[in-house]
Amino acid sequence: MVGRTNERRVPKQYTCQRSQTNPAGGVDMRLAGPESSVTAEPRARKYKCGLPQPCPEEHLAFRMVSGAANVIGPKICLEDKMLMSSVKDNVGRGLNIALVNGVSGELIEARAFDMWAGDVNDLLKFIRPLHEGTLVFVASYDDPATKMNEETRKLFSELGSRTAKELAFRDSWVFVGAKGVQNKSPFEQHVKNSKHTNKYEGWPEALEMEGCIPRRSTAS
């Protein structure tokens, strides 16, 4: 899978604020513009899903953010449509997965799988029968890995993941893969849960990833 990705990057006039703790114990994550001023230049134009520049023709624009600790839910946006978010009330603890038609860019199905107390067989039934060319968007929230078994890790690896085999308790993970890819996906980020480097108490930082995915020419 070849495409363009921007990893936690925003235009120069914007900064990503991640250090303000909210009353619920989480962290406020938002884009902030430059200091307000009557002489400030107009804000840069935003494109689909808030990307700083448009995607080439025959590419799908996406932006996704993993959950922050166990407080702020993940988001998955594709072609300016929010596929999964707390506002849509379709995200949950564990792995949040959206299946997308790689040709049309249309959402096939979106579901959350509890990887702490849920049944991993529900996840396996969801990802085993994928059709060739199906795009798979994955965003973690709280704990993505406790219930993972070898088959689960193998299936994600076959979708193009480099890090599924080492994913562990409370790691942060965002990933876009596809059924039938020949190489590893360029769209993946992973931060391990470590008390020495965690941004929040008990959890690593949230991850943000955006980019352009080439449309598939055919899909079965």
Side-chain angles (χ1 to χ4, degrees), residues 56-104:
E57 288 189 20
E58 298 304 314
H59 283 66
L60 302 170
F62 80 92
R63 179 176 180 270
M64 56 200 304
V65 184
S66 70
N70 62 347
V71 179
I72 303 173
K75 295 179 181 180
I76 300 175
C77 175
L78 182 70
E79 287 291 285
D80 243 9
K81 296 179 181 178
M82 194 62 70
L83 305 185
M84 302 190 77
S85 70
S86 295
V87 172
K88 292 182 68 70
D89 196 26
N90 65 348
V91 298
R93 175 176 68 181
L95 295 177
N96 295 269
I97 304 177
L99 305 181
V100 171
N101 184 303
V103 176
S104 67

Side-chain angles (χ1 to χ4, degrees), residues 44-176:
R45 178 180 176 184
K46 287 290 193 175
Y47 296 90
K48 291 179 180 179
C49 291
L51 269 64
Q53 54 189 347
C55 288
E57 288 189 20
E58 298 304 314
H59 283 66
L60 302 170
F62 80 92
R63 179 176 180 270
M64 56 200 304
V65 184
S66 70
N70 62 347
V71 179
I72 303 173
K75 295 179 181 180
I76 300 175
C77 175
L78 182 70
E79 287 291 285
D80 243 9
K81 296 179 181 178
M82 194 62 70
L83 305 185
M84 302 190 77
S85 70
S86 295
V87 172
K88 292 182 68 70
D89 196 26
N90 65 348
V91 298
R93 175 176 68 181
L95 295 177
N96 295 269
I97 304 177
L99 305 181
V100 171
N101 184 303
V103 176
S104 67
E106 293 298 316
L107 177 66
I108 299 170
E109 190 173 0
R111 286 185 60 185
F113 298 89
D114 188 340
M115 301 304 290
W116 169 255
D119 186 348
V120 71
N121 288 309
D122 293 336
L123 172 59
L124 290 171
K125 291 174 184 176
F126 190 68
I127 60 176
R128 275 175 185 151
L130 297 182
H131 293 292
E132 192 84 4
T134 300
L135 297 175
V136 183
F137 294 76
V138 186
S140 67
Y141 184 22
D142 188 7
D143 175 27
T146 294
K147 286 296 182 81
M148 270 199 177
N149 57 19
E150 286 304 311
E151 182 180 0
T152 310
R153 296 176 190 277
K154 182 175 182 291
L155 287 172
F156 279 121
S157 295
E158 290 173 351
L159 293 171
S161 172
R162 292 180 172 87
T163 62
K165 291 182 178 179
E166 61 187 69
L167 203 65
F169 174 66
R170 285 186 177 176
D171 286 1
S172 289
W173 185 42
V174 286
F175 166 64
V176 184

